[in-house]
Amino acid sequence: MIESLIVFAVSLLIGALGIFLGARIIVDTEDYTYAFVTALIGAVVWALVGFFLGWIPLLGPLLVFVAYLGVINARYPGGWVDAVAITIVAWVSVLVVLYVLAFLGVTGFEAAGVPGT
């Protein structure tokens, strides 16, 4: 149980780093704590919407992703285009960090707070 919490916390920190970098590049905000809370909310929304609607073929995963984008859109200035851009930068940056950590044998290839990682 404790190991699972540690893995979740570390993956959430990595996910928050991705959102922080995305928000810094796209909307010029520099608050890691805000990104951490956003990643936590995003992970919870992703899990809940995925649980209730994710099973619907084709539409379910799209609804889950739109719900996650809604969190980013609600938490950061700009509109939906900026939310998509923040998410893309977050996803790419998290992939790079996870690849390096996995290559070094530190962690697996997944992070909470950023979908698809």
Side-chain angles (χ1 to χ4, degrees):
M1 174 80 170
I2 291 178
E3 290 177 11
S4 296
L5 290 174
I6 291 171
V7 168
F8 178 76
V10 170
S11 65
L12 187 59
L13 290 171
I14 294 170
L17 175 65
I19 293 173
F20 170 78
L21 292 173
R24 183 174 180 201
I25 291 168
I26 303 302
V27 294
D28 198 30
T29 61
E30 296 189 15
D31 188 350
Y32 182 80
T33 304
Y34 196 79
F36 179 83
V37 171
T38 302
L40 182 60
I41 294 169
V44 169
V45 167
W46 183 273
L48 288 174
V49 175
F51 179 76
F52 289 110
L53 301 174
W55 59 269
I56 303 170
L58 299 174
L59 184 60
L62 179 63
L63 292 173
V64 173
F65 185 67
V66 169
Y68 176 81
L69 282 177
V71 171
I72 301 294
N73 186 41
R75 300 268 303 158
Y76 285 99
W80 287 97
V81 173
D82 285 342
V84 169
I86 290 169
T87 302
I88 290 170
V89 172
W91 184 73
V92 170
S93 61
V94 165
L95 283 181
V96 170
V97 170
L98 290 176
Y99 179 79
V100 170
L101 291 175
F103 180 76
L104 296 173
V106 175
T107 186
F109 200 69
E110 56 190 33
V114 175
T117 58

